[in-house]
Amino acid sequence: MPDTINHQRRGLLGAAALTVAAVEFGLIGSAKAQTQGTADAAAAVKPGSHTSFEALKQVKTKVLDIGYAEAGPADGPVALLLHGWPYDIYSYVDVAPILAAAGYRVIIPYLRGYGTTRFLSKNAFRNAQQAALAVDMIEFMDALKIKEAVVGGFDWGARTVNIMAALWPERCKGMVSVSGYLIGSQEANKKPLPPQAELAWWYQYYFATERGREGYDKYRHDFAKLIWKLASPDWHFDDATFDRSATALENEDNVAITIDNYRWRLGLAESQREYDALERKLAASPTIGIPTITMEGDANGAPHPAPASYAGKFTGKYEHRDVTGGIGHNLPQEAPQAFAQAMLDVTRL
């Protein structure tokens, strides 16, 4: 699948700061960019070139036993890549070899509720609020004795790296974030959106019901495949590609984590008190000062904010890239070369 990158630097955007409500829910849109060149360093890799990682590893944190894939030299600078829902580490199966060949130690963990990641205690609160996922990744880095990393993500993963960059900037050398700035708050989510925007979040409202929880549990793979198709309408993935990732949704906690994540956003699920201080900081919509490249595909069918609306949230070196060629929501898997190039470029802005 061909992809072309259009680069936009801050001065070309002239953007206003994104409102907190639009940050969390996303008003579907895109920004046209002026072409200033294309990716030139990453070796050409077609989507689907790779189908597996080496044997997965496990490491224990305070709460989790986290499963993760690793590639590249053990002593290289670290690239930490985070997936979203309903996806998994295979979103980066073609990105990892590019970064590893460039000398990076590439680390791709399963988030809580996915793949081989498990809670250490059966009694642990199956909480998926935004701060919890970010703390997971800081503790994951601590467990692996990783001082700092270039971080990248999309969907839940993008929100998580946004939070890491905002609250622990000393741990993040640079960030690549698909769909930009996604930090939100429960308070902001109380405000209704225009009908068109609300429609795009149909599954969130479905999950707010007991029928939705039961439906997701019963039809998990069918549900995930539907989301893949809606979020990436021009991505013609085959059954093998989907099945490879769908296995991660068989995690015993996936239903609980998925439902809690979306209910929490609407204030329908409890927060853990230990995260209250962090959530107060996040509710203020903090700016991000580390070097950042945001990206958007030209065929993203999932809710997402227009790039011009969030440019003001990035106060350090910053660039936005539109990726064309029918690229949808799962940008790292659909356009691995473009995503990998951004990871290589972000610390050189």
Side-chain angles (χ1 to χ4, degrees):
M1 182 181 296
D3 54 87
T4 301
I5 305 173
N6 290 337
H7 301 248
Q8 289 179 307
R9 293 196 178 273
R10 179 185 304 281
L12 297 177
L13 290 169
L18 183 62
T19 64
V20 178
V23 166
E24 176 64 15
F25 284 100
L27 300 178
I28 297 176
S30 63
K32 294 182 179 179
Q34 295 183 14
T35 302
Q36 296 184 350
T38 57
D40 56 5
V45 171
K46 293 182 179 180
S49 296
H50 302 85
T51 58
S52 65
F53 293 104
E54 293 184 6
L56 294 182
K57 301 180 179 181
Q58 299 285 141
V59 66
K60 292 181 180 180
T61 64
K62 295 177 182 179
V63 177
L64 301 170
D65 184 3
I66 296 179
Y68 65 100
E70 182 170 352
D75 59 350
V78 176
L80 177 65
L81 306 176
L82 304 184
H83 67 83
W85 173 87
Y87 306 93
D88 81 327
I89 63 174
Y90 283 93
S91 290
Y92 298 102
V93 71
D94 289 315
V95 172
I98 301 173
L99 298 181
Y104 275 88
R105 179 188 178 191
V106 186
I107 307 287
I108 313 168
Y110 282 112
L111 301 182
R112 55 170 62 189
Y114 294 83
T116 60
T117 292
R118 296 288 187 275
F119 283 86
L120 297 178
S121 171
K122 292 183 179 180
N123 298 321
F125 184 17
R126 268 47 176 180
N127 175 17
Q129 68 187 93
Q130 59 181 356
L133 297 178
V135 170
D136 284 349
M137 291 301 104
I138 294 298
E139 293 182 351
F140 174 66
M141 291 175 66
D142 290 343
L144 293 178
K145 296 179 170 47
I146 296 172
K147 182 179 179 181
E148 61 180 2
V150 180
V151 297
F154 74 103
D155 197 83
W156 290 18
R159 179 175 293 107
T160 302
V161 297
N162 286 178
I163 295 170
M164 293 170 68
L167 300 184
W168 297 279
E170 71 281 1
R171 307 299 295 271
C172 307
K173 292 182 64 178
M175 177 178 68
V176 175
S177 178
V178 177
S179 297
Y181 186 94
L182 298 177
I183 299 173
S185 75
Q186 290 178 316
E187 185 62 29
N189 295 342
K190 294 178 181 179
K191 301 175 183 178
L193 297 173
Q196 186 71 25
E198 298 282 18
L199 177 63
W201 287 100
W202 64 272
Y203 54 89
Q204 179 167 250
Y205 303 121
Y206 180 61
F207 289 161
T209 68
E210 183 59 21
R211 178 187 177 95
R213 188 199 66 76
E214 293 179 1
Y216 180 63
D217 191 12
K218 183 176 181 179
Y219 301 108
R220 212 176 312 176
H221 285 204
D222 291 342
F223 204 103
K225 183 173 283 189
L226 174 62
I227 295 295
W228 278 38
K229 291 179 178 178
L230 293 175
S232 300
D234 294 339
W235 182 32
H236 304 296
F237 57 88
D238 57 23
D239 287 342
T241 298
F242 174 77
D243 292 342
R244 193 178 302 121
S245 290
T247 300
L249 306 180
E250 296 172 5
N251 183 294
E252 62 189 13
D253 295 311
N254 183 261
V255 173
I257 290 299
T258 299
I259 299 302
D260 187 85
N261 181 282
Y262 288 103
R263 289 183 180 180
W264 181 87
R265 300 186 198 192
L266 296 177
L268 302 177
E270 294 182 15
S271 298
Q272 278 186 265
R273 288 192 173 183
E274 64 186 276
Y275 301 121
D276 284 353
L278 297 179
E279 292 294 354
R280 284 193 293 271
K281 293 179 180 179
L282 297 175
S285 190
T287 58
I288 294 173
I290 68 168
T292 296
I293 293 176
T294 58
M295 307 187 76
E296 193 58 81
D298 64 339
N300 186 358
H304 61 280
S309 66
Y310 53 66
K313 303 306 296 183
F314 302 102
T315 58
K317 295 179 179 179
Y318 173 69
E319 182 177 297
H320 176 75
R321 297 181 178 181
D322 285 325
V323 186
T324 62
I327 305 303
H329 189 59
N330 186 3
L331 191 150
Q333 194 163 2
E334 298 175 59
Q337 186 173 345
F339 187 89
Q341 187 65 54
M343 291 289 293
L344 295 173
D345 290 344
V346 69
T347 58
R348 302 194 294 251
L349 289 180

